[in-house]
């Protein structure tokens, strides 16, 4: 009896210590932030001291990818650990969910929030959802029905509901935006707070809500997902930041976003949980260069931006921070947003279902041991179509098309080939010299295609007129 009791106590102790080790997870997801837009990624006039510090204390990734070239599919991939084409969250023509869309992330998909909630986490989303527009007849699309316990933010992008208010015709309207021009509805859970929120206050409010969420969650493991509204256009900053950056409004917006990252790290430190928290900062896709010099971001040395499968469309900043656990480094390991779900599920002790293919991999060896992970091919989709693929340092383009405003895809009978280790700008096409490499990439893509089961796109259906 005594022995039984002793074993029971020992088991309980193991269980408790395992539970105590479950780390908190914070994912900060900028919108349309380019590879070249942070101080620590080389921007000469954008100042991001908090992100720069996070990068110097953690790992700054130089080859980190979003899994899609635009918002909705990218978020679906982050939440599910799978290419968006598997969940129907991509479409060649309707590239993202619109305000009038009736589709959304299918309930059969397991989100990161659901996975972590299943092992005891408190889960919160603060910011832009964009995986389904919630309405009374579509309750399944609310983030509270996808594993989140707490929600504060917008249902979709900040430019999707232009307000009926007449807009004066001015040459610099793109730069000098008025919050009255956009009906950006702000929700707390299922409660509509205001149909036209003052977007100049959004980043500050997100930071305040995040600090509160962290303070309220300190007694159990938590997952905080912060998909920011900016620097997606239209751009707004509060008075404290507006007009301060030599980079103009885009720099003002990033300075405020950087401040809000600092507030989150401060809240983690003040609450005493920083040394048990993984924070990951990244972006949903490349910069919206089409927006012009002042309001579109920069992909730095990478080619093109948001909407394209050139590197600038999908290679984004990636910074991992966990004091005492992650050692400072710069890493050129190839990782993607799809790796985050398997990684945090493993850390939290959650099992992923075996009934579906996962495209993400547990990145713990890269994060905690300075080792690489084995990766097969990484595929670059534009909508539902596979345009390009990366294997090792090599990237082949089967179809190319510029970002927004470039109407015609070009199919390449002999795929274009680049060595990204040597030529990250994709400036020197070398397929003629390496037919064997092209063949290997083609075979890898065929292996990938064999795992894809076609599903109907969720992005097609809209509210009937
Ligand atoms: Mg975006």
């Amino acid at each position: 009896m005594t022995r039984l009791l002793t074993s029971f106590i020992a088991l309980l102790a193991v269980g408790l210590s395992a539970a105590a080790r479950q780390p908190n997870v914070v994912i900060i997801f900028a919108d349309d932030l380019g590879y070249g837009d942070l101080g620590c990624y080389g921007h000469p006039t954008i100042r991001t001291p908090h992100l720069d510090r996070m990068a110097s204390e953690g790992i700054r990734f130089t080859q980190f990818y979003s899994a899609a070239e635009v918002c909705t599919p990218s978020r679906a991939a982050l939440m599910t650990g799978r290419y968006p084409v598997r969940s129907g969250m991509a479409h060649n023509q309707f590239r993202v969910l619109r305000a009038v869309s009736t589709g959304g992330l299918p309930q059969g998909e397991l989100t990161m929030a659901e996975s972590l909630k299943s092992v005891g986490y408190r889960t919160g989303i603060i910011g832009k959802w964009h995986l389904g527009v919630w309405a009374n007849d579509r309750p399944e699309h609310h983030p509270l029905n996808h594993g989140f316990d707490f929600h504060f933010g917008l249902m979709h992008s900040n430019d999707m509901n232009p307000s009926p208010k007449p807009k004066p015709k001015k040459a610099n309207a793109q730069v000098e935006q008025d919050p009255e021009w956009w009906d950006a509805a702000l929700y707390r859970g299922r409660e509509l707070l205001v149909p036209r929120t003052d977007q100049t206050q959004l980043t500050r409010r997100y930071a305040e809500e995040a600090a509160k969420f962290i303070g309220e969650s300190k007694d159990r493991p938590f997952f905080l997902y912060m998909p920011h509204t900016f620097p997606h256009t239209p751009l707004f900053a509060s008075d404290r930041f507006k007009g301060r950056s030599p980079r103009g409004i885009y720099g003002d917006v990033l300075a405020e976003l950087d401040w809000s990252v600092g507030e989150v790290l401060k809240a983690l430190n003040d609450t005493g949980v920083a040394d048990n928290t993984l924070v990951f900062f990244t972006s949903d896709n490349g910069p919206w260069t089409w927006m012009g010099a002042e309001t579109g971001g920069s992909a730095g040395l990478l080619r093109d931006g948001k909407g394209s499968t050139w590197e600038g469309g999908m290679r984004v900043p990636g910074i991992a921070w966990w004091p005492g656990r992650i050692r400072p480094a710069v890493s050129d390991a190839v990782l993607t947003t799809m790796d985050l779900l398997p990684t945090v599920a493993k850390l939290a002790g959650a099992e992923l279902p075996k009934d579906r293919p996962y495209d993400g991999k547990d990145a713990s060896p890269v994060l905690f041991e300075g080792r690489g992970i084995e990766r097969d091919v990484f595929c670059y989709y534009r909508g539902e179509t596979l345009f390009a693929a990366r294997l090792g340092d090599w990237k082949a383009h089967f179809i190319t098309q510029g970002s927004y405003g470039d109407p015609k895809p070009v199919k390449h009978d002999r795929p274009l080939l680049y060595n990204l280790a040597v030529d990250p700008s994709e400036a020197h096409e070398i397929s003629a010299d390496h037919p064997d490499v092209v063949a290997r990439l083609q075979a890898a893509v065929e292996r990938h295609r064999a795992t894809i089961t076609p599903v109907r796109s969720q992005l097609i259906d809209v509210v009937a007129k």
Side-chain angles (χ1 to χ4, degrees), residues 375-395:
R375 178 174 294 286
D376 194 12
V377 68
F378 172 63
C379 299
Y380 303 65
Y381 280 87
R382 180 179 175 119
E384 297 164 277
T385 308
L386 194 154
F387 269 46
R390 174 175 184 160
L391 191 62
D393 290 335
W394 299 96
K395 179 175 176 184

Side-chain angles (χ1 to χ4, degrees), residues 201-235:
Q201 302 304 308
L202 263 186
T203 302
R204 179 185 59 76
R205 292 185 73 174
Y206 290 168
E208 287 171 3
E209 293 288 336
K212 207 162 140 224
F213 178 87
I214 290 166
E216 287 169 359
S217 311
K218 63 178 176 188
D219 295 329
R220 57 189 270 215
F222 64 83
F223 166 47
L224 172 60
Y225 171 45
M226 273 190 91
H228 274 275
T229 290
F230 303 115
H232 189 287
T233 66
L235 297 174

